Structures are given as C-alpha cells and as structure tokens.
Amino acid sequence: MKKNFKNIAFASIVFGSLIFTSCHSAGHSDAHSHGAEATEDAHNHNEATEGMAVLSQVQRKAIDLEVGAMPYRTMKGVVKTSGQLEVSPNNKAEVTAYVGGNVVSIKAFQGDKVKKGQVLAVLEHPDIIQLQQDFIEKCNDLKYLEKDYNRQKELYQQEVGSGKKYQKAEADYQTAKAQYQGLKLRLEMLKLNTKSIEKGNIVHQLNIISPISGYVSGINISLGTYIDARTKMFSIRNFENIHADLSVYEKDISKVAKGQKVRLRVANLPNTELKGTVFAIAKEYTPNSRSVVVHASIDNPPKKLIADSYVSGEILTESDKVRAVPEAAIVNDGDKHFIFVFDEKGSLAANHDEDDHNHAADNHQHDDGETHAHAADTHQHGEGEDHDHDHDHAADEHQHDDTDDHQHDNGEDHAHATDSHQHGEGEDHDHNHDHAVGEAHDHDMEGIYQSLAKDKIAYRMVEVITGEVDGGYVEITAVDPLSDHELIVLHGAYYLLSDLKKSEAAHQH
C-alpha cells in the first residue's frame, strides 16, 4: 500500500512537471510570436522613414527649425550684360593752357581730390608778360581814341568839322575797342585780373586751375616742360555722378527700357552689389559687336569706384511670381540641390515605431514576471509533495486542479478580453486618425503639422533645380511634381542633411 502511494506521488510530480513545461513553452512561444510581429512592424516602419530626417520636438527646438508653406516671390527676368564705368562729359575735364609756357610748379598729384578753381600748376614765359603789355597799350589807345571820336562827333553835329574826320575817328575808336575787348577776354580766360593789369600791375606767372571739382586722374607734365595750348596737362574726373555704359546685344535690346533697375558688380568691390536705373539707350549699334550701349545711373556710388573699370551685371526687365525659397532652405548633395518637405506618412510611421517599441518592452516585462511566478509556485509545490502523506497529496492535488483551472480560465479570459480591448482601441484609433489626416490633408497641412508638434516629425528630401537669386531668395523648380500645399523647411535644412547623413552611416554599420 505504501508502495502504491509512492508511485502515485511520483506520477503526480511527473505530471506536474509536464504541465509546467507545456505552459512555459506555450507562454514563451506566444511572447516570441508577439516579438516577431513587433519586429516586422518596426521593419516596415523603418522602411517608411528610410531616406528621411526624423527629429523630435527637442531637436527641432535646438536647431531653431522653421517650417512654412511654399513661398511665392516676385523674381525678375534679367538681361545679362557687361561694360565699363564711365563719367558723363559734364563731369570730366582735360586741363590745358591757353598760352605756351614753361612749368615752374606742380601743385597737384594723381589721385588728389581738387575743387573747382584750385591751382594745379604754375607757368612762366615772356609771352605771358607780352600779352599783358599789349592789353595795357590797347587800353590807353582806346581811351585816347574814345575822346577823339566824341570830339569829332560833336563838331560834325555842329557842322563845323568835316564828315571825313568824324568817320575816321569813329572807325579808329571801334577798332581799338574791339582789340581791347579781345585782349581782355584772353586775360580773363587765363584767370588774370584785368583791372589790376590796367593799372600797370603785370604778373610774370600764370596759374593753371581746375575747371571742375573731382579727382586728378592723370598728369602729363613735369617741371621745366614747355607746353602749348594743345598740351593736355591734367585729367580731372568727378566720380559723384559716375554711371555704367552697358553693352546689350541686338536680340535683347527690345526687352530694355528706360527706368528699369540694374544690378552691377565691379572687380575692386567684389562683395558689393550696386543698384541703379537705366536712364538712356543709344539709337545705333556698335559696328563690331552689333550691340547697343545702355547708360545706367548708380544709386549712391561708392567713392572707390574708378572710371573705365570693367563692370558686369543684369538689367531687370520683367516681374513674375515663381516658387522661391530662402537660400538657407537649399542644401547641396554632390552636384544636386535639395529642399526638405514635411512627410505625413513618415511622421506617423516614426511615432508608431516608438509606440511599438514601448509596447514590446511592456510585454517582455510581463512574460518574465509570469514565468518567474509560475516557477516559484511549482518549486513550492514540489517541496510540499516530499513531506505530505497520500491524503494530504490527494487534497493538494484536488485543490491544485481546482485552483489552477479556476485561475487559468479566469486568467485566459481576462487576458484575451484585455488584448481584444486594446487591439480594438488601437485599430479604431489608427483608423480614425488616418481618416482624419486624410481628410485634412487637402485642407490644412499646417494643422496636421501642429498636431504632431510634441511627437517626432519626418522630413523627406526633394530635388530641385535652382534659378535666379534675388534678395536672399532662390527660384526653384521641383524635379518631381510638388504640391503647393506642402510644408517646407525654410530654416535649418543644413542640420537636417547632417542628421540624415549620420543616420545613414549608423544604419550601414
């Protein structure tokens, strides 16, 4: 009898071990199945965000990311042109002397700023003295002839004097007067004081003065040099009204008109873009190049501009609204240009991936807890069997069966209900969210973006072709169709590209 009880006890232990092994294997199998499903979902979500930059709210705030609707901007059509800087005829002068003389002093140097009337050089020559002497003689002759003319006129009117003498006196007087006026003008052209010379004050030097204010751009004399009236002594340029003479080819001249704005660049100011306006267009072609000269004024010209300098630029001929983004929105990858665009599906996938990861961690902790608890119960049960008698063992077995069946049934039902409840809520939530997003996609992309403000957001790269640049904005054309409802990254695109490169490098390793 005692032997039978031992056999029954042994059988019970074996049976209990089989049940434990079966339950543990089933639980482990279920956990593995759930883990495989989570891994597969995560893989699908990773594929959904592949090639995208995914940033959290903290990351977006750290780089001051700015996102907005696709901007449209008025960009100008342009005509490319080149030419040189010029000074208008009224603002340049070639200084010469009206009489010959030797240079005894030079008062200005190349590059000096001079004022109108300022002395540039001093000449000496006997001809200068002779000219003053001739003027003094004519002045004295004129005074005598004027008195003789008035006397003969009075006699003739009284019929005392002859008409012949009166006519001769009148002729001599008018001749002397003309000669006097001629000499006086010559002296005044030399900037000599004729009133002082009439009093006998003769000067032996002649000052050469600047006819305009400006800068000395050329000097063609040296001390002791004899110059005549044809010699160019100095070149003076006033750069305050400098302008550009631009060459426009025949095919483009019809697009150009007075009043159009221009953008200009010169070599000695490489970082400065000059603004100006077309004020005159020539009416004939340049024979060799078949181009037309277009004159453009320069707004607030810098003092460092030099006449005859090469200039290049554009004439802004028309205005059209086109897609244009800030320069900070464009990144380069190789020889291609890209912008970043908010990706709705990628953002949802990135956030679902994080939720699945958290759910898998919870399942792992739950499975481990159940396994350890079940093992502890089995261990305690085994120890109890070694000390109990057959009656106690039968009672324990009965109690164990009732309790296990009750707990197992209740546990399975509760777990199944919970899973069904969670699954149902998840399906309804995902379905409703996707449906809501789909409806809002065509109406309020900004609203969708704001709804994800606290979550991860994905941005995809879109290749673009760049065009004209104006005021810090770049005209773009998307290689593939791009809706006007898309939200693009306006500031911070460089950081997105850097983050994407790091992610790709980590994925490869």
Side-chain angles (χ1 to χ4, degrees), residues 434-445:
D434 291 342
H435 181 66
V437 168
E439 288 182 348
H441 185 275
D442 295 333
H443 303 288
D444 188 12
M445 284 296 290

Side-chain angles (χ1 to χ4, degrees), residues 438-459:
E439 288 182 348
H441 185 275
D442 295 333
H443 303 288
D444 188 12
M445 284 296 290
E446 292 186 6
I448 298 172
Y449 188 86
Q450 293 300 325
S451 69
L452 297 170
K454 296 182 179 180
D455 300 326
K456 290 185 176 180
I457 297 182
Y459 307 88

Side-chain angles (χ1 to χ4, degrees), residues 16 67 257 396 476:
V67 176
D396 288 340
I476 62 168

Side-chain angles (χ1 to χ4, degrees), residues 287-347:
N288 295 332
S289 63
R290 296 298 297 172
S291 63
V292 174
V293 176
V294 175
H295 304 279
S297 62
I298 299 176
D299 301 337
N300 302 316
K303 294 181 179 180
K304 294 183 178 180
L305 293 181
I306 301 174
D308 302 327
S309 296
Y310 175 79
V311 61
S312 62
E314 302 85 30
I315 301 174
L316 311 183
T317 59
E318 58 187 27
S319 300
D320 291 319
K321 283 191 174 182
V322 296
R323 285 177 172 177
V325 298
E327 292 178 321
I330 299 178
V331 294
N332 299 329
D333 189 8
D335 58 350
K336 296 182 178 180
H337 308 285
F338 296 88
I339 63 173
F340 280 94
V341 179
F342 163 60
D343 193 278
E344 176 190 341
K345 293 182 180 179
S347 299

Side-chain angles (χ1 to χ4, degrees), residues 224-253:
T225 303
Y226 176 81
I227 55 97
D228 57 27
R230 296 173 297 177
T231 304
K232 295 180 181 179
M233 302 175 63
F234 297 90
S235 296
I236 310 296
R237 299 288 185 272
N238 186 342
F239 300 117
E240 292 181 358
N241 295 314
I242 196 169
H243 70 276
D245 282 356
L246 306 172
S247 297
V248 177
Y249 289 109
E250 185 177 2
K251 64 183 181 65
D252 294 323
I253 194 62

Side-chain angles (χ1 to χ4, degrees), residues 41-53:
D41 290 341
H43 178 70
N44 293 335
H45 293 154
N46 287 335
E47 287 185 350
T49 59
E50 185 177 358
M52 298 184 188

Side-chain angles (χ1 to χ4, degrees), residues 367-377:
D367 293 338
D368 288 346
E370 284 187 346
T371 301
H372 290 303
H374 188 68
D377 290 344

